[in-house]
Amino acid sequence: MDTSDNQELSQEDLFEHYRFVASKGQDPLRVDKFLMNFIENATRNKIQQAAKQGHIWVNGTIVKQNYKVKAGDEVKVMFEHPPYEFLLTPEDIPLDIVYEDDALLVVNKPAGMVVHPGHGNYSGTLINALVHHFDNLPNNSSERPGLVHRIDKDTSGLLVIAKTDLAMTHLAQQFFEKSSEREYVALVWGNVEEDEGTVEGHIGRNPKNRLQMVVFPEGDEGKEAVTHYKVLERLGYVTLISCKLETGRTHQIRVHMKYIGHTLFNDERYGGDQILKGTTFTKYKQFVDNAFKILPRQALHAKTLGFEHPTTGEFMRFSSELPQDMVNCIEKWRGYAKHHES
């Protein structure tokens, strides 16, 4: 199809599905390859089809698939239908509600549940459950009902959900101003030498792998990120730690801990699903494989959440138990460490 037919469709007639701005270090790269690096689960064929149909725009103009993206280019993928994540289907999924009143609720999210619909995950998410159980939830700045903050699919733990516009504004402000409290428990590879410490380093997309985030130590790219950690228990080749977030960047704890050489246990995206510390004995390899099976996800739980109540002004703090998969995995390492103490 000749893209010129599509020039009649202005940007106002189309729905934006993706928008990316090429970083200043971007070497010229074909737009189809560029988008492959950004969009999870996308195929080259689908992207080329989208280009043929005039759905790929750069700096406000339709481009062909061989257009070379340069530093600073704004690349958009536009379609005539709204993104599926905005077609929210209420689903009767049970919620573990820790606290609820007229303004907000606190939910304990299980590992494996996606927080909001997105590419490849249009059902079974926390938001599908929320819109079933609650009417008229306020939208956040990304048009997502009730959502003040989020945690990764394979991270378990506490989230606060706003039920009114006032609560949404007030809670979002606390997260922005870093006055909310968030403490996570993580199991990481290696013996964390310092009993406590702080990791500081800007976090942004990894230019070589767009599905990962990375630390930019010079602070020339990405956004400021600060994580305070404390050792809870040393278990030989792994360490149980507590992390308090000062900022809330995507994958923050996962990226910061990897940056200081302590990747989260079984964090597939960041290489923690490999044996990163320990011996070469076959028996040890078998032990770790079994530990991976017990905890088939990154070892991260959002344990404590604190904030000022938007209407009463009272500071509220909620805590949740570690989920069973993490408890079992920690117990296994505890047994191993005890057995192998010199």
Side-chain angles (χ1 to χ4, degrees):
M1 171 178 179
D2 183 54
T3 52
S4 58
D5 298 347
N6 281 273
Q7 295 290 4
E8 293 162 28
L9 279 176
S10 71
Q11 282 198 41
E12 285 70 45
D13 301 318
L14 299 168
F15 293 91
E16 182 183 303
H17 284 235
Y18 300 99
R19 178 201 308 208
F20 308 107
V21 177
S23 67
K24 55 186 177 192
Q26 178 67 55
D27 293 327
L29 182 67
R30 279 175 61 118
V31 72
D32 52 357
K33 286 188 176 174
F34 176 82
L35 288 169
M36 281 286 289
N37 291 339
F38 275 88
I39 303 174
E40 211 163 347
N41 306 331
T43 64
R44 187 91 177 268
N45 185 35
K46 271 190 182 163
I47 290 171
Q48 290 177 343
Q49 283 303 110
K52 279 194 184 114
Q53 290 160 4
H55 295 307
I56 297 177
W57 297 60
V58 176
N59 305 330
T61 308
I62 293 172
V63 297
K64 293 198 164 81
Q65 66 203 40
N66 60 359
Y67 172 87
K68 292 271 176 58
V69 176
K70 300 175 293 301
D73 275 354
E74 183 189 60
V75 182
K76 289 184 184 181
V77 182
M78 316 273 282
F79 290 106
E80 287 158 60
H81 60 86
Y84 295 117
E85 56 258 47
F86 296 129
L87 310 174
L88 284 174
T89 315
E91 291 178 48
D92 190 0
I93 301 164
L95 287 172
D96 179 4
I97 297 172
V98 177
Y99 172 85
E100 184 184 358
D101 62 26
D102 290 344
L104 57 88
L105 62 139
V106 175
V107 176
N108 192 15
K109 182 189 86 68
M113 179 186 251
V114 175
V115 170
H116 58 74
H119 191 74
N121 294 297
Y122 300 120
S123 66
T125 77
L126 179 64
I127 286 195
N128 293 109
L130 288 171
V131 295
H132 171 86
H133 293 287
F134 302 97
D135 294 327
N136 307 316
L137 287 173
N139 280 348
N140 67 9
S141 57
S142 306
E143 302 295 315
R144 292 190 167 123
L147 222 56
V148 179
H149 60 127
R150 55 179 286 275
I151 56 179
D152 298 330
K153 174 188 173 185
D154 288 326
T155 300
S156 51
L158 298 178
L159 286 158
V160 61
I161 307 296
K163 288 169 79 175
T164 66
D165 286 317
L166 171 77
M168 176 65 80
T169 306
H170 198 289
L171 290 164
Q173 191 66 20
Q174 290 182 57
F175 278 80
F176 179 73
E177 290 172 353
K178 307 173 190 170
S179 60
S180 60
E181 252 183 45
R182 280 167 294 166
E183 183 207 358
Y184 290 70
V185 172
L187 186 69
V188 300
W189 278 107
N191 180 27
V192 179
E193 284 180 22
E194 303 293 327
D195 286 341
E196 52 188 85
T198 296
V199 189
E200 294 184 64
H202 280 52
I203 289 177
R205 290 255 167 227
N206 183 343
K208 295 188 175 70
N209 178 353
R210 304 304 305 189
L211 304 181
Q212 283 186 354
M213 307 302 281
V214 73
V215 170
F216 292 94
E218 304 300 315
D220 51 341
E221 284 190 58
K223 291 178 179 168
E224 179 208 11
V226 183
T227 306
H228 306 284
Y229 68 85
K230 192 186 250 175
V231 170
L232 300 176
E233 194 175 351
R234 299 176 190 281
L235 298 166
Y237 298 125
V238 295
T239 307
L240 190 66
I241 60 168
S242 149
C243 291
K244 285 196 172 163
L245 292 185
E246 207 174 290
T247 51
R249 307 299 173 213
T250 303
H251 300 176
Q252 180 170 320
I253 292 170
R254 300 164 68 184
V255 174
H256 268 173
M257 294 318 293
K258 176 171 181 161
Y259 178 62
I260 62 165
H262 296 289
T263 305
L264 264 63
F265 185 75
N266 210 6
D267 187 348
E268 184 186 1
R269 186 161 292 190
Y270 291 96
D273 58 341
Q274 307 296 314
I275 295 177
L276 298 181
K277 294 283 181 234
T279 73
T280 53
F281 296 135
T282 313
K283 259 183 133 170
Y284 175 72
K285 184 182 181 305
Q286 191 56 58
F287 165 82
V288 176
D289 282 345
N290 288 339
F292 285 153
K293 286 192 182 86
I294 288 170
L295 183 70
R297 62 176 181 104
Q298 71 255 9
L300 187 61
H301 176 68
K303 183 172 173 41
T304 308
L305 183 61
F307 52 83
E308 187 183 286
H309 193 283
T311 44
T312 68
E314 178 196 353
F315 193 85
M316 306 182 83
R317 187 181 284 108
F318 300 92
S319 201
S320 60
E321 296 295 318
L322 283 182
Q324 205 56 47
D325 59 356
M326 269 185 83
V327 170
N328 294 348
C329 184
I330 292 160
E331 283 294 334
K332 196 169 171 64
W333 276 104
R334 208 172 268 148
Y336 184 89
K338 205 170 173 182
H339 185 65
H340 289 80
E341 272 174 5
S342 49

